[in-house]
Amino acid sequence: QVQLVESGGGLVQPGGSLRLSCAASRSIFSIYAMGWYRQAPGKPRERVAVISSGGQINYADSVLGRFTISRDNAKNTVYLQMNSLNPEDTAVYYCNGHGPYDYWGQGTQVTVSS
């Protein structure tokens, strides 16, 4: 079993930045793709960014050029740097580990509002 714990959410003004962190309870990045997903009220969960075990990265079109996913293998932590935030980015953001099993964090709220 692996626990994923997100942190770093909060309230930010439009145009601002936040960095989300996802700490895994043990080392899994060598065999798990790690991703960030988000779910806004009344909408389905959508994939935001994914980094494969081999380091390949993919972003949703809506965040391309604004968000950056990265990982620190030594710290078992995945990050999502979010810049130029707008109200449409408001959602609960979830960390996911996809591999032999599927793991999810509890989510962290991001609210973009003036």
Side-chain angles (χ1 to χ4, degrees), residues 83-103:
N83 298 328
S84 301
L85 286 161
N86 59 61
E88 290 69 40
D89 296 315
T90 295
V92 178
Y93 284 70
Y94 297 91
C95 179
N96 168 258
H98 179 69
Y101 300 94
D102 215 33
Y103 297 110

Side-chain angles (χ1 to χ4, degrees), residues 23-57:
S25 59
R26 60 182 178 88
S27 176
I28 60 171
F29 297 167
S30 62
I31 58 173
Y32 277 74
M34 301 300 298
W36 287 96
Y37 291 71
R38 66 186 181 186
Q39 188 166 20
K43 294 186 178 181
R45 189 172 295 188
E46 64 171 346
R47 187 171 67 182
V48 174
V50 174
I51 181 168
S52 73
S53 58
Q56 292 177 309
I57 293 174

Side-chain angles (χ1 to χ4, degrees), residues 63-111:
V63 307
L64 193 62
R66 300 189 298 122
F67 291 11
T68 303
I69 188 172
S70 62
R71 69 187 183 199
D72 186 329
N73 294 337
K75 295 183 178 180
N76 296 331
T77 301
V78 179
Y79 303 97
L80 185 68
Q81 177 67 43
M82 306 186 294
N83 298 328
S84 301
L85 286 161
N86 59 61
E88 290 69 40
D89 296 315
T90 295
V92 178
Y93 284 70
Y94 297 91
C95 179
N96 168 258
H98 179 69
Y101 300 94
D102 215 33
Y103 297 110
W104 291 93
Q106 82 287 353
T108 185
Q109 176 71 46
V110 172
T111 302

